[in-house]
Amino acid sequence: MKKNNSFYNVFTKQIVIAIFIVLLTGSLFAEKTELSMLLWSRYTVAQADDEITENGFALKRGYLTIKQTFTDKIKGRFTTDICSSDEDLDASGASLKVKYAYLEFVDLVPFGKNKLQTGLIKSYFGGSPDYKGIIVDPAFVIYERIIPSVDYGVAYLGSNGIVNYVLEIVNGEGYKNSGSNVDTEPAFIGDVKVKASRIISFGGSYLTKKEFDAVSGLVDFKFGKLDARFEFVQKTIDSENETGYSVTPALNLSKFQLTGRYDCWQDSHKRIVAGEIGRAVQQ
């Protein structure tokens, strides 16, 4: 069942606009304001059924972010996404989108480290949240349409230094959909990651939504400047399972990261991606 409510559509946009205004005007009173930029140029070769379907260079991501620290308990973030695009609705071969827009409340619960995020937030499933880690964008679970990269909702994040966990309720349709495109049943996500040692960490995620359920398991290795991630995903629709896996090595060099990824889903398609990520931060 779909919503048909123009008020909901307008209200969703007002949330994003309101958070942007709060962050913009709040810089006058904030304890700390951080402006950052992340650019990722990529060369991609994609193959399906022994036929090359994509072969070329592009600017896949250009993030411009404002982060505000109002107090030690209240923070905010607003991020725009500028990148190459061949979509008909995007002019001049480029796309401009709102990527994140949320407020964050720190240590609401008096045990362990925790925070509550509300607004347009990350989808905390599998390897998708690790934009500062070894993931080539889009993450494997995003590329296979298990989840969108970000969504409207609320997330509670907790940690004791070794175990990190997330409980999240989101629309389930991603940041590109609102109003009548959002069904009446939200998606629920649970995620746990454990840092077993300085070298290895592992984790698992569970997602349930109206259309399907999904689980993800991953293992991270770190050897000096070398990183590697192995991720397995299973999607269940009406008791029928679909599976896939992804392998992501990376080499960290000062302010740059050279990385690649190999994906396989149901033996129906495979994908190899390679690129570099450069970061610049101004405070």
Side-chain angles (χ1 to χ4, degrees):
M1 179 180 181
K2 298 285 185 180
K3 291 181 180 178
N4 186 16
N5 191 335
S6 59
F7 171 78
Y8 180 86
N9 194 12
V10 173
F11 181 70
T12 301
K13 294 180 179 178
Q14 287 177 339
I15 292 176
V16 174
I17 295 172
I19 291 176
F20 174 72
I21 294 174
V22 168
L23 294 177
L24 186 63
T25 58
S27 63
L28 300 174
F29 311 99
E31 290 186 353
K32 178 181 177 182
T33 301
E34 179 181 301
L35 177 66
S36 64
M37 179 179 67
L38 185 152
L39 300 176
W40 180 49
S41 57
R42 187 180 77 179
Y43 172 69
T44 302
V45 177
Q47 178 177 332
D49 298 325
D50 298 325
E51 180 180 351
I52 295 178
T53 59
E54 184 179 358
N55 184 11
F57 296 90
L59 174 64
K60 299 305 294 183
R61 286 295 178 269
Y63 291 135
L64 181 61
T65 297
I66 300 173
K67 290 183 179 181
Q68 300 282 15
T69 301
F70 300 101
T71 70
D72 60 345
K73 300 294 184 182
I74 303 176
K75 303 178 181 180
R77 174 178 178 177
F78 189 90
T79 297
T80 58
D81 180 2
I82 306 170
C83 63
S84 304
S85 175
D86 57 2
E87 298 291 338
D88 294 336
L89 297 179
D90 296 326
S92 304
S95 170
L96 173 62
K97 302 182 180 70
V98 176
K99 184 65 176 180
Y100 299 106
Y102 63 81
L103 294 176
E104 182 176 276
F105 303 91
V106 179
D107 292 338
L108 292 178
V109 179
F111 54 86
K113 295 182 179 180
N114 59 85
K115 53 188 177 182
L116 181 73
Q117 296 177 345
T118 178
L120 185 57
I121 59 179
K122 292 181 180 181
S123 297
Y124 289 93
F125 180 87
S128 64
D130 299 329
Y131 280 95
K132 292 185 178 180
I134 62 173
I135 290 299
V136 177
D137 193 25
F140 177 51
V141 291
I142 298 171
Y143 180 76
E144 297 301 339
R145 300 186 182 278
I146 306 298
I147 58 164
S149 58
V150 295
D151 208 339
Y152 295 97
V154 178
Y156 177 82
L157 298 82
S159 173
N160 64 1
I162 297 177
V163 179
N164 301 306
Y165 62 92
V166 182
L167 300 174
E168 185 174 27
I169 303 175
V170 291
N171 285 346
E173 279 76 22
Y175 66 101
K176 295 182 180 180
N177 295 288
S178 61
S180 60
N181 293 324
V182 178
D183 62 47
T184 56
E185 299 183 21
F188 298 88
I189 299 174
D191 177 75
V192 177
K193 290 184 173 64
V194 180
K195 186 175 182 179
S197 68
R198 296 175 59 184
I199 296 176
I200 185 172
S201 59
F202 58 90
S205 303
Y206 176 73
L207 162 71
T208 180
K209 57 187 298 186
K210 182 178 181 180
E211 296 82 2
F212 60 85
D213 296 337
V215 294
S216 168
L218 58 84
V219 180
D220 287 333
F221 295 94
K222 293 182 179 294
F223 304 95
K225 294 183 178 181
L226 294 175
D227 297 341
R229 165 166 289 178
F230 303 90
E231 183 172 10
F232 173 82
V233 178
Q234 178 174 287
K235 177 180 178 181
T236 303
I237 307 176
D238 297 328
S239 300
E240 295 292 330
N241 294 328
E242 298 180 8
T243 60
Y245 64 89
S246 176
V247 181
T248 309
L251 176 63
N252 300 294
L253 300 172
S254 184
K255 295 182 179 181
F256 293 90
Q257 181 188 76
L258 300 177
T259 184
R261 193 177 78 210
Y262 175 78
D263 297 343
C264 179
W265 186 262
Q266 283 288 103
D267 293 326
S268 62
H269 61 263
K270 301 176 177 64
R271 190 168 186 254
I272 298 176
V273 183
E276 59 85 19
I277 297 176
R279 297 185 178 91
V281 178
Q282 177 182 350
Q283 295 185 15

